[in-house]
Amino acid sequence: MRPEPAGGVSEGLNGLVTALQANYCSVALEGPGPGGAGQLLCTRRTRLAKSGQSICVGDRVRVEGIDWPAGRAAVAAVHPRSSLLERPAVANVSRIVVVVALAEPVADPLQLSRFLITAEASGTPVLPVLSKADLLPATAVADWCRRLQGWGYAPLAVAATTGQGLEALRQELQQPGITVICGPSGVGKSSLLNALLPALDLRVAAVSGRLQRGRHTTRHVELFGLAPGALVADTPGFNRPRLPRDPAALGALFPEVLAALARQGPCRFSDCLHQGEPDCSVGTAWERWPLYRQCLDDLQQDLERAPAPSSDPAGLRRRGGRLEPLLAARYRRSSRRSQRQQEEREDRGPGQS
Ligand code: GDP
Ligand code: ZN
């Protein structure tokens, strides 16, 4: 039932962008509106659109011109962001959960590392979650956990099917702030979320219904409430996250490298790439060194193939020296269609639906 009108257009209110679609965004109000209205479908104020200000999922915004009976309003301002994850574009992220399966598909340390590197590049805390733990013997699961601990992480092993590790994961996700869940498709992210939050489907349906789209038919990100103040962004899977563009920045995305530098002090050369240079504090005797080398090679190749673009293929553009995601599909649909199709092919990967 629709809430009663509150007597015409109300004063502005603050809310959080929980989903984006073309020129609309879904905004969860910080406090309930008349009749308990909590979610508004919003356009952008013209002057905001003209200023080029982007809107991302996770943004705190000010909405004005609220039409309570219709559940519509317009975003008038975007509050400053504490962080911005680039791909998927999510603002104000508190932590990133990287999910990889221990089996089906078999765990690949390089792919896992690439996800971890991408997550680390955001500067937010990273939690690896090893899913489908029911498919391996307990000793093999424990070996994987120890391995990731050696990388500098505190992983959780979980199984949506048996419930193993779900309480520990719930504790993590109930921390205040926005948690982004990422990982390749097919590793069980949706199964985990559904196991943790049986009401999720309802909420998904509510948001998606308004926006006229299904949950899994979209590459867009949506935020779901798990506990008061704790939101989870379920991101579309992608199989090959991008590496940073600067080879010198790669090392700092490996916790082992940071730990070695903290222990041993800086390397002799400030631009050391930790490949056996004289007086390198990091050295080469660490488990992921071959993976680090491989990433370094891949990154060099990427750079040779595609020198610094004016606009990042992930849907980012440079504004005032900063990268910002593009919002309105209206503006990018035609020019970016082929890029997006390419990304979708990448994201599906071989044999993925
Ligand atoms: P997503 O693409 O990461 O969201 O993965 P889904 O949640 O759609 O799961 C992919 C497949 O893995 C489905 O066939 C699930 O039934 C299966 N699956 C998910 N979680 C588990 C688990 O804990 N154990 C096992 N054995 N299979 C799982
Ligand atoms: Zn070094």
Side-chain angles (χ1 to χ4, degrees):
M1 206 172 68
R2 281 178 167 176
E4 288 300 306
V9 171
S10 345
E11 287 292 299
L13 288 176
N14 286 325
L16 186 82
V17 176
T18 57
L20 286 178
Q21 168 80 351
N23 304 313
Y24 294 94
C25 61
S26 207
V27 174
L29 295 173
E30 279 176 4
Q39 200 91 18
L40 295 170
L41 187 63
C42 298
T43 54
R44 285 199 293 183
R45 275 263 185 266
T46 319
R47 70 170 181 280
L48 191 67
K50 277 191 182 146
S51 75
Q53 168 71 55
S54 64
I55 300 177
C56 293
V57 166
D59 266 328
R60 279 191 67 238
V61 294
R62 184 157 189 82
V63 296
E64 290 179 357
I66 304 170
D67 176 348
W68 291 111
R72 305 286 291 248
V75 173
V78 178
H79 296 298
R81 295 168 181 148
S82 62
S83 68
L84 177 62
L85 189 64
E86 292 180 359
R87 187 173 184 253
V90 186
N92 305 317
V93 175
S94 295
R95 69 197 68 79
I96 301 181
V97 167
V98 172
V99 185
V100 285
L102 288 170
E104 296 178 19
V106 66
D108 170 6
L110 179 61
Q111 188 193 43
L112 169 55
S113 289
R114 289 184 74 123
F115 271 99
L116 293 174
I117 289 165
T118 307
E120 293 287 355
S122 70
T124 54
V126 177
L127 172 68
V129 167
L130 303 170
S131 64
K132 308 197 188 182
D134 56 310
L135 297 177
L136 287 190
T139 49
V141 174
D143 285 347
W144 265 104
C145 288
R146 266 193 299 278
R147 190 169 175 188
L148 265 77
Q149 282 159 6
W151 299 0
Y153 291 101
L156 289 178
V158 302
T161 43
T162 63
Q164 176 186 343
L166 288 191
E167 262 325 297
L169 181 57
R170 185 193 302 279
Q171 295 297 324
E172 291 291 338
L173 299 184
Q174 279 179 348
Q175 305 289 322
I178 295 175
T179 301
V180 164
I181 301 195
C182 64
S185 38
V187 296
K189 297 181 297 297
S190 315
S191 306
L192 285 172
L193 280 173
N194 285 329
L196 287 172
L197 197 65
L200 180 67
D201 281 335
L202 288 176
R203 185 162 169 78
V204 169
V207 174
S208 300
R210 263 263 155 82
L211 298 178
Q212 297 297 302
R213 64 198 159 91
R215 179 168 170 220
H216 291 292
T217 57
T218 173
R219 291 173 42 78
H220 292 259
V221 184
E222 294 179 12
L223 285 183
F224 309 108
L226 197 88
L231 293 135
V232 177
D234 176 19
T235 68
F238 49 93
N239 288 323
R240 209 174 135 84
R242 291 190 173 83
L243 293 168
R245 290 208 148 255
D246 175 11
L250 185 65
L253 305 178
F254 287 74
E256 311 91 307
V257 171
L258 289 182
L261 290 171
R263 244 185 353 255
Q264 313 282 345
C267 306
R268 186 204 291 184
F269 304 114
S270 59
D271 59 352
C272 184
L273 289 179
H274 323 307
Q275 302 184 87
E277 293 93 330
D279 294 327
C280 170
S281 301
V282 178
T284 58
W286 43 293
E287 195 221 312
R288 283 206 293 171
W289 186 74
L291 295 180
Y292 165 75
R293 272 299 307 272
Q294 165 106 51
C295 290
L296 212 49
D297 286 350
D298 292 350
L299 185 114
Q300 308 270 26
Q301 273 179 21
D302 286 353
L303 279 179
E304 281 157 26
R305 262 201 306 266
S310 57
S311 150
D312 186 278
L316 296 161
R317 65 171 163 199
R318 207 164 275 285
R319 274 189 75 78
R322 288 188 333 153
L323 282 178
E324 283 198 333
L326 291 163
L327 167 65
R330 176 159 58 121
Y331 300 125
R332 72 178 170 190
R333 186 167 288 139
S334 54
S335 60
R336 296 197 173 266
R337 178 172 292 149
S338 58
Q339 177 62 49
R340 212 166 51 214
Q341 285 167 349
Q342 172 60 30
E343 278 183 25
E344 278 165 10
R345 275 194 298 277
E346 255 178 61
D347 291 355
R348 277 196 298 274
Q352 309 275 0
S353 60

